[in-house]
Amino acid sequence: DIGNDRCLEEEGQALLKCSASGSVIALSGSNPMHSASMQHLKKNGIVVYLDVHAGEIVDRLEVMKVDRIVGQSSGSSMGDILRVRKQFYNKWHDVRVLCEGGETAKDIAEKVLDAVKRYENSEPETFISTRSMWPQKFETHSPKSFSEAVVDGLASDGGLFVPARGLPKLTAREWTRSEE
């Protein structure tokens, strides 16, 4: 037994040696707990967090007969370590994709591609008023940059600012999960 700290360090050192480009690298659940390796990965690509509900992860681990994972100290539950890990996932991800039970690999891949395309879009996001979204009104109100929208607070017509390209499409369950 090499212990959690040593295992995290060994995993991190292995990632620091990774220099692949044009590739997808699937990380283990404990990799984001190693800061230097995550900084290295972020310099070289986009970090996508596949956010799966903790209960579903626990169920999958039980099916695989896994009763302990890296970072889990003795006496703590699987749920405890998953809650600890979540703070690291939130710290390092560039793109978060909410995954629901019953989705196919193809469904998730499409969600990842959509999220990455949105993230990589080279044009800066602009914002319009919810009250000027109708075509006849839109022409009289120019879109605002993020900074302008923040400083203005509300649009001059009293509407809320929303992304001109629209909001990401989320299911009711994903909206609920996004609050976690």
PDB file of all heavy atoms in Angstrom, residues 87-114:
ATOM      1  N   GLN A  87     -14.819  19.826  -5.690  1.00  0.00           N
ATOM      2  CA  GLN A  87     -14.212  21.161  -5.642  1.00  0.00           C
ATOM      3  C   GLN A  87     -13.035  21.270  -6.611  1.00  0.00           C
ATOM      4  O   GLN A  87     -12.809  22.329  -7.201  1.00  0.00           O
ATOM      5  CB  GLN A  87     -13.787  21.514  -4.228  1.00  0.00           C
ATOM      6  CG  GLN A  87     -12.642  20.665  -3.707  1.00  0.00           C
ATOM      7  CD  GLN A  87     -12.278  20.946  -2.272  1.00  0.00           C
ATOM      8  OE1 GLN A  87     -12.218  22.095  -1.881  1.00  0.00           O
ATOM      9  NE2 GLN A  87     -12.048  19.890  -1.499  1.00  0.00           N
ATOM     10  N   PHE A  88     -12.299  20.193  -6.802  1.00  0.00           N
ATOM     11  CA  PHE A  88     -11.170  20.200  -7.742  1.00  0.00           C
ATOM     12  C   PHE A  88     -11.675  20.188  -9.186  1.00  0.00           C
ATOM     13  O   PHE A  88     -11.122  20.861 -10.045  1.00  0.00           O
ATOM     14  CB  PHE A  88     -10.243  19.005  -7.485  1.00  0.00           C
ATOM     15  CG  PHE A  88      -9.555  19.081  -6.155  1.00  0.00           C
ATOM     16  CD1 PHE A  88     -10.043  18.385  -5.067  1.00  0.00           C
ATOM     17  CD2 PHE A  88      -8.431  19.879  -5.986  1.00  0.00           C
ATOM     18  CE1 PHE A  88      -9.421  18.464  -3.835  1.00  0.00           C
ATOM     19  CE2 PHE A  88      -7.797  19.967  -4.758  1.00  0.00           C
ATOM     20  CZ  PHE A  88      -8.296  19.260  -3.677  1.00  0.00           C
ATOM     21  N   TYR A  89     -12.723  19.424  -9.448  1.00  0.00           N
ATOM     22  CA  TYR A  89     -13.295  19.401 -10.793  1.00  0.00           C
ATOM     23  C   TYR A  89     -13.770  20.811 -11.163  1.00  0.00           C
ATOM     24  O   TYR A  89     -13.526  21.290 -12.266  1.00  0.00           O
ATOM     25  CB  TYR A  89     -14.478  18.437 -10.889  1.00  0.00           C
ATOM     26  CG  TYR A  89     -14.196  17.008 -10.490  1.00  0.00           C
ATOM     27  CD1 TYR A  89     -15.211  16.190 -10.024  1.00  0.00           C
ATOM     28  CD2 TYR A  89     -12.923  16.454 -10.587  1.00  0.00           C
ATOM     29  CE1 TYR A  89     -14.984  14.877  -9.668  1.00  0.00           C
ATOM     30  CE2 TYR A  89     -12.686  15.133 -10.229  1.00  0.00           C
ATOM     31  CZ  TYR A  89     -13.716  14.363  -9.769  1.00  0.00           C
ATOM     32  OH  TYR A  89     -13.475  13.060  -9.419  1.00  0.00           O
ATOM     33  N   ASN A  90     -14.449  21.458 -10.227  1.00  0.00           N
ATOM     34  CA  ASN A  90     -14.961  22.811 -10.484  1.00  0.00           C
ATOM     35  C   ASN A  90     -13.832  23.820 -10.663  1.00  0.00           C
ATOM     36  O   ASN A  90     -13.966  24.778 -11.414  1.00  0.00           O
ATOM     37  CB  ASN A  90     -15.902  23.252  -9.372  1.00  0.00           C
ATOM     38  CG  ASN A  90     -17.240  22.538  -9.438  1.00  0.00           C
ATOM     39  OD1 ASN A  90     -17.714  22.200 -10.518  1.00  0.00           O
ATOM     40  ND2 ASN A  90     -17.841  22.288  -8.298  1.00  0.00           N
ATOM     41  N   LYS A  91     -12.728  23.603  -9.984  1.00  0.00           N
ATOM     42  CA  LYS A  91     -11.591  24.523 -10.092  1.00  0.00           C
ATOM     43  C   LYS A  91     -10.930  24.451 -11.462  1.00  0.00           C
ATOM     44  O   LYS A  91     -10.519  25.470 -12.012  1.00  0.00           O
ATOM     45  CB  LYS A  91     -10.560  24.189  -9.010  1.00  0.00           C
ATOM     46  CG  LYS A  91      -9.303  25.020  -9.087  1.00  0.00           C
ATOM     47  CD  LYS A  91      -8.317  24.645  -7.994  1.00  0.00           C
ATOM     48  CE  LYS A  91      -7.049  25.472  -8.085  1.00  0.00           C
ATOM     49  NZ  LYS A  91      -6.098  25.130  -7.031  1.00  0.00           N
ATOM     50  N   TRP A  92     -10.814  23.264 -12.030  1.00  0.00           N
ATOM     51  CA  TRP A  92      -9.984  23.075 -13.209  1.00  0.00           C
ATOM     52  C   TRP A  92     -10.719  23.024 -14.545  1.00  0.00           C
ATOM     53  O   TRP A  92     -10.108  23.207 -15.595  1.00  0.00           O
ATOM     54  CB  TRP A  92      -9.127  21.810 -13.060  1.00  0.00           C
ATOM     55  CG  TRP A  92      -8.114  21.952 -11.983  1.00  0.00           C
ATOM     56  CD1 TRP A  92      -8.081  21.275 -10.791  1.00  0.00           C
ATOM     57  CD2 TRP A  92      -6.987  22.837 -11.958  1.00  0.00           C
ATOM     58  NE1 TRP A  92      -7.014  21.686 -10.043  1.00  0.00           N
ATOM     59  CE2 TRP A  92      -6.316  22.653 -10.740  1.00  0.00           C
ATOM     60  CE3 TRP A  92      -6.486  23.777 -12.854  1.00  0.00           C
ATOM     61  CZ2 TRP A  92      -5.168  23.354 -10.393  1.00  0.00           C
ATOM     62  CZ3 TRP A  92      -5.346  24.477 -12.507  1.00  0.00           C
ATOM     63  CH2 TRP A  92      -4.703  24.265 -11.291  1.00  0.00           C
ATOM     64  N   HIS A  93     -11.992  22.781 -14.556  1.00  0.00           N
ATOM     65  CA  HIS A  93     -12.642  22.591 -15.856  1.00  0.00           C
ATOM     66  C   HIS A  93     -12.798  23.895 -16.634  1.00  0.00           C
ATOM     67  O   HIS A  93     -12.953  24.966 -16.054  1.00  0.00           O
ATOM     68  CB  HIS A  93     -14.000  21.896 -15.709  1.00  0.00           C
ATOM     69  CG  HIS A  93     -15.115  22.784 -15.243  1.00  0.00           C
ATOM     70  ND1 HIS A  93     -15.392  22.985 -13.926  1.00  0.00           N
ATOM     71  CD2 HIS A  93     -16.012  23.507 -15.950  1.00  0.00           C
ATOM     72  CE1 HIS A  93     -16.420  23.794 -13.813  1.00  0.00           C
ATOM     73  NE2 HIS A  93     -16.817  24.137 -15.028  1.00  0.00           N
ATOM     74  N   ASP A  94     -12.706  23.771 -17.958  1.00  0.00           N
ATOM     75  CA  ASP A  94     -13.026  24.871 -18.863  1.00  0.00           C
ATOM     76  C   ASP A  94     -14.467  24.737 -19.317  1.00  0.00           C
ATOM     77  O   ASP A  94     -15.151  25.728 -19.537  1.00  0.00           O
ATOM     78  CB  ASP A  94     -12.107  24.832 -20.100  1.00  0.00           C
ATOM     79  CG  ASP A  94     -10.647  25.039 -19.732  1.00  0.00           C
ATOM     80  OD1 ASP A  94     -10.336  26.032 -19.061  1.00  0.00           O
ATOM     81  OD2 ASP A  94      -9.816  24.193 -20.110  1.00  0.00           O
ATOM     82  N   VAL A  95     -14.895  23.499 -19.482  1.00  0.00           N
ATOM     83  CA  VAL A  95     -16.231  23.196 -19.972  1.00  0.00           C
ATOM     84  C   VAL A  95     -16.833  22.129 -19.062  1.00  0.00           C
ATOM     85  O   VAL A  95     -16.180  21.135 -18.766  1.00  0.00           O
ATOM     86  CB  VAL A  95     -16.175  22.659 -21.428  1.00  0.00           C
ATOM     87  CG1 VAL A  95     -17.548  22.240 -21.903  1.00  0.00           C
ATOM     88  CG2 VAL A  95     -15.562  23.682 -22.365  1.00  0.00           C
ATOM     89  N   ARG A  96     -18.065  22.353 -18.623  1.00  0.00           N
ATOM     90  CA  ARG A  96     -18.770  21.378 -17.793  1.00  0.00           C
ATOM     91  C   ARG A  96     -19.942  20.822 -18.585  1.00  0.00           C
ATOM     92  O   ARG A  96     -20.740  21.577 -19.127  1.00  0.00           O
ATOM     93  CB  ARG A  96     -19.283  22.067 -16.526  1.00  0.00           C
ATOM     94  CG  ARG A  96     -20.085  21.173 -15.613  1.00  0.00           C
ATOM     95  CD  ARG A  96     -20.551  21.968 -14.412  1.00  0.00           C
ATOM     96  NE  ARG A  96     -21.419  21.209 -13.554  1.00  0.00           N
ATOM     97  CZ  ARG A  96     -22.321  21.750 -12.751  1.00  0.00           C
ATOM     98  NH1 ARG A  96     -22.459  23.061 -12.687  1.00  0.00           N
ATOM     99  NH2 ARG A  96     -23.084  20.997 -12.004  1.00  0.00           N
ATOM    100  N   VAL A  97     -20.029  19.497 -18.656  1.00  0.00           N
ATOM    101  CA  VAL A  97     -21.120  18.833 -19.346  1.00  0.00           C
ATOM    102  C   VAL A  97     -21.875  17.997 -18.319  1.00  0.00           C
ATOM    103  O   VAL A  97     -21.299  17.111 -17.696  1.00  0.00           O
ATOM    104  CB  VAL A  97     -20.596  17.938 -20.495  1.00  0.00           C
ATOM    105  CG1 VAL A  97     -21.731  17.159 -21.134  1.00  0.00           C
ATOM    106  CG2 VAL A  97     -19.859  18.783 -21.538  1.00  0.00           C
ATOM    107  N   LEU A  98     -23.144  18.306 -18.143  1.00  0.00           N
ATOM    108  CA  LEU A  98     -23.972  17.551 -17.211  1.00  0.00           C
ATOM    109  C   LEU A  98     -24.417  16.261 -17.885  1.00  0.00           C
ATOM    110  O   LEU A  98     -24.991  16.283 -18.972  1.00  0.00           O
ATOM    111  CB  LEU A  98     -25.191  18.377 -16.795  1.00  0.00           C
ATOM    112  CG  LEU A  98     -24.877  19.643 -16.011  1.00  0.00           C
ATOM    113  CD1 LEU A  98     -26.120  20.504 -15.872  1.00  0.00           C
ATOM    114  CD2 LEU A  98     -24.306  19.306 -14.650  1.00  0.00           C
ATOM    115  N   CYS A  99     -24.133  15.139 -17.238  1.00  0.00           N
ATOM    116  CA  CYS A  99     -24.476  13.821 -17.780  1.00  0.00           C
ATOM    117  C   CYS A  99     -25.611  13.233 -16.964  1.00  0.00           C
ATOM    118  O   CYS A  99     -25.554  13.217 -15.734  1.00  0.00           O
ATOM    119  CB  CYS A  99     -23.263  12.896 -17.730  1.00  0.00           C
ATOM    120  SG  CYS A  99     -21.853  13.543 -18.642  1.00  0.00           S
ATOM    121  N   GLU A 100     -26.623  12.761 -17.664  1.00  0.00           N
ATOM    122  CA  GLU A 100     -27.785  12.174 -17.006  1.00  0.00           C
ATOM    123  C   GLU A 100     -27.772  10.664 -17.158  1.00  0.00           C
ATOM    124  O   GLU A 100     -27.252  10.142 -18.142  1.00  0.00           O
ATOM    125  CB  GLU A 100     -29.068  12.712 -17.641  1.00  0.00           C
ATOM    126  CG  GLU A 100     -29.240  14.209 -17.497  1.00  0.00           C
ATOM    127  CD  GLU A 100     -30.552  14.680 -18.097  1.00  0.00           C
ATOM    128  OE1 GLU A 100     -31.605  14.288 -17.567  1.00  0.00           O
ATOM    129  OE2 GLU A 100     -30.499  15.406 -19.087  1.00  0.00           O
ATOM    130  N   GLY A 101     -28.352   9.972 -16.205  1.00  0.00           N
ATOM    131  CA  GLY A 101     -28.466   8.524 -16.291  1.00  0.00           C
ATOM    132  C   GLY A 101     -29.247   8.130 -17.535  1.00  0.00           C
ATOM    133  O   GLY A 101     -30.189   8.811 -17.931  1.00  0.00           O
ATOM    134  N   GLY A 102     -28.828   7.072 -18.177  1.00  0.00           N
ATOM    135  CA  GLY A 102     -29.531   6.589 -19.351  1.00  0.00           C
ATOM    136  C   GLY A 102     -29.058   7.184 -20.668  1.00  0.00           C
ATOM    137  O   GLY A 102     -29.495   6.757 -21.730  1.00  0.00           O
ATOM    138  N   GLU A 103     -28.170   8.168 -20.614  1.00  0.00           N
ATOM    139  CA  GLU A 103     -27.652   8.733 -21.859  1.00  0.00           C
ATOM    140  C   GLU A 103     -26.655   7.758 -22.480  1.00  0.00           C
ATOM    141  O   GLU A 103     -25.908   7.100 -21.776  1.00  0.00           O
ATOM    142  CB  GLU A 103     -26.940  10.067 -21.603  1.00  0.00           C
ATOM    143  CG  GLU A 103     -27.872  11.212 -21.302  1.00  0.00           C
ATOM    144  CD  GLU A 103     -27.123  12.508 -21.096  1.00  0.00           C
ATOM    145  OE1 GLU A 103     -26.198  12.546 -20.256  1.00  0.00           O
ATOM    146  OE2 GLU A 103     -27.476  13.488 -21.766  1.00  0.00           O
ATOM    147  N   THR A 104     -26.651   7.728 -23.794  1.00  0.00           N
ATOM    148  CA  THR A 104     -25.687   6.881 -24.494  1.00  0.00           C
ATOM    149  C   THR A 104     -24.363   7.628 -24.622  1.00  0.00           C
ATOM    150  O   THR A 104     -24.298   8.843 -24.449  1.00  0.00           O
ATOM    151  CB  THR A 104     -26.188   6.527 -25.902  1.00  0.00           C
ATOM    152  OG1 THR A 104     -26.233   7.722 -26.688  1.00  0.00           O
ATOM    153  CG2 THR A 104     -27.557   5.856 -25.868  1.00  0.00           C
ATOM    154  N   ALA A 105     -23.316   6.879 -24.950  1.00  0.00           N
ATOM    155  CA  ALA A 105     -22.012   7.510 -25.189  1.00  0.00           C
ATOM    156  C   ALA A 105     -22.121   8.527 -26.319  1.00  0.00           C
ATOM    157  O   ALA A 105     -21.506   9.594 -26.269  1.00  0.00           O
ATOM    158  CB  ALA A 105     -20.973   6.438 -25.517  1.00  0.00           C
ATOM    159  N   LYS A 106     -22.925   8.212 -27.327  1.00  0.00           N
ATOM    160  CA  LYS A 106     -23.123   9.140 -28.451  1.00  0.00           C
ATOM    161  C   LYS A 106     -23.790  10.429 -27.979  1.00  0.00           C
ATOM    162  O   LYS A 106     -23.397  11.525 -28.392  1.00  0.00           O
ATOM    163  CB  LYS A 106     -23.957   8.475 -29.547  1.00  0.00           C
ATOM    164  CG  LYS A 106     -24.140   9.341 -30.764  1.00  0.00           C
ATOM    165  CD  LYS A 106     -24.952   8.650 -31.841  1.00  0.00           C
ATOM    166  CE  LYS A 106     -25.122   9.608 -33.017  1.00  0.00           C
ATOM    167  NZ  LYS A 106     -25.991   9.103 -34.039  1.00  0.00           N
ATOM    168  N   ASP A 107     -24.799  10.327 -27.118  1.00  0.00           N
ATOM    169  CA  ASP A 107     -25.478  11.517 -26.578  1.00  0.00           C
ATOM    170  C   ASP A 107     -24.477  12.415 -25.856  1.00  0.00           C
ATOM    171  O   ASP A 107     -24.461  13.631 -26.050  1.00  0.00           O
ATOM    172  CB  ASP A 107     -26.582  11.128 -25.581  1.00  0.00           C
ATOM    173  CG  ASP A 107     -27.733  10.365 -26.203  1.00  0.00           C
ATOM    174  OD1 ASP A 107     -27.964  10.508 -27.425  1.00  0.00           O
ATOM    175  OD2 ASP A 107     -28.401   9.624 -25.446  1.00  0.00           O
ATOM    176  N   ILE A 108     -23.657  11.797 -25.022  1.00  0.00           N
ATOM    177  CA  ILE A 108     -22.684  12.564 -24.248  1.00  0.00           C
ATOM    178  C   ILE A 108     -21.629  13.169 -25.165  1.00  0.00           C
ATOM    179  O   ILE A 108     -21.254  14.338 -25.012  1.00  0.00           O
ATOM    180  CB  ILE A 108     -22.061  11.697 -23.137  1.00  0.00           C
ATOM    181  CG1 ILE A 108     -23.147  11.337 -22.111  1.00  0.00           C
ATOM    182  CG2 ILE A 108     -20.896  12.425 -22.464  1.00  0.00           C
ATOM    183  CD1 ILE A 108     -22.752  10.307 -21.095  1.00  0.00           C
ATOM    184  N   ALA A 109     -21.164  12.413 -26.146  1.00  0.00           N
ATOM    185  CA  ALA A 109     -20.173  12.938 -27.096  1.00  0.00           C
ATOM    186  C   ALA A 109     -20.722  14.159 -27.822  1.00  0.00           C
ATOM    187  O   ALA A 109     -20.011  15.155 -28.002  1.00  0.00           O
ATOM    188  CB  ALA A 109     -19.771  11.855 -28.093  1.00  0.00           C
ATOM    189  N   GLU A 110     -21.991  14.123 -28.221  1.00  0.00           N
ATOM    190  CA  GLU A 110     -22.603  15.271 -28.896  1.00  0.00           C
ATOM    191  C   GLU A 110     -22.675  16.480 -27.959  1.00  0.00           C
ATOM    192  O   GLU A 110     -22.416  17.610 -28.377  1.00  0.00           O
ATOM    193  CB  GLU A 110     -23.986  14.907 -29.425  1.00  0.00           C
ATOM    194  CG  GLU A 110     -23.933  13.991 -30.629  1.00  0.00           C
ATOM    195  CD  GLU A 110     -25.303  13.491 -31.087  1.00  0.00           C
ATOM    196  OE1 GLU A 110     -26.340  13.918 -30.521  1.00  0.00           O
ATOM    197  OE2 GLU A 110     -25.332  12.676 -32.016  1.00  0.00           O
ATOM    198  N   LYS A 111     -23.001  16.230 -26.692  1.00  0.00           N
ATOM    199  CA  LYS A 111     -23.046  17.330 -25.727  1.00  0.00           C
ATOM    200  C   LYS A 111     -21.652  17.935 -25.528  1.00  0.00           C
ATOM    201  O   LYS A 111     -21.499  19.151 -25.432  1.00  0.00           O
ATOM    202  CB  LYS A 111     -23.617  16.829 -24.387  1.00  0.00           C
ATOM    203  CG  LYS A 111     -25.103  16.563 -24.438  1.00  0.00           C
ATOM    204  CD  LYS A 111     -25.600  15.828 -23.216  1.00  0.00           C
ATOM    205  CE  LYS A 111     -25.748  16.688 -22.017  1.00  0.00           C
ATOM    206  NZ  LYS A 111     -26.432  16.002 -20.898  1.00  0.00           N
ATOM    207  N   VAL A 112     -20.632  17.065 -25.475  1.00  0.00           N
ATOM    208  CA  VAL A 112     -19.256  17.543 -25.316  1.00  0.00           C
ATOM    209  C   VAL A 112     -18.861  18.390 -26.520  1.00  0.00           C
ATOM    210  O   VAL A 112     -18.315  19.491 -26.372  1.00  0.00           O
ATOM    211  CB  VAL A 112     -18.270  16.372 -25.109  1.00  0.00           C
ATOM    212  CG1 VAL A 112     -16.826  16.838 -25.229  1.00  0.00           C
ATOM    213  CG2 VAL A 112     -18.507  15.711 -23.752  1.00  0.00           C
ATOM    214  N   LEU A 113     -19.130  17.894 -27.719  1.00  0.00           N
ATOM    215  CA  LEU A 113     -18.767  18.638 -28.928  1.00  0.00           C
ATOM    216  C   LEU A 113     -19.464  19.994 -28.976  1.00  0.00           C
ATOM    217  O   LEU A 113     -18.840  21.009 -29.307  1.00  0.00           O
ATOM    218  CB  LEU A 113     -19.093  17.826 -30.185  1.00  0.00           C
ATOM    219  CG  LEU A 113     -18.190  16.625 -30.435  1.00  0.00           C
ATOM    220  CD1 LEU A 113     -18.706  15.810 -31.619  1.00  0.00           C
ATOM    221  CD2 LEU A 113     -16.752  17.053 -30.668  1.00  0.00           C
ATOM    222  N   ASP A 114     -20.745  20.033 -28.634  1.00  0.00           N
ATOM    223  CA  ASP A 114     -21.474  21.301 -28.615  1.00  0.00           C
ATOM    224  C   ASP A 114     -20.871  22.272 -27.604  1.00  0.00           C
ATOM    225  O   ASP A 114     -20.680  23.453 -27.887  1.00  0.00           O
ATOM    226  CB  ASP A 114     -22.957  21.082 -28.287  1.00  0.00           C
ATOM    227  CG  ASP A 114     -23.727  20.416 -29.419  1.00  0.00           C
ATOM    228  OD1 ASP A 114     -23.228  20.409 -30.569  1.00  0.00           O
ATOM    229  OD2 ASP A 114     -24.828  19.896 -29.141  1.00  0.00           O
TER     230      ASP A 114
END
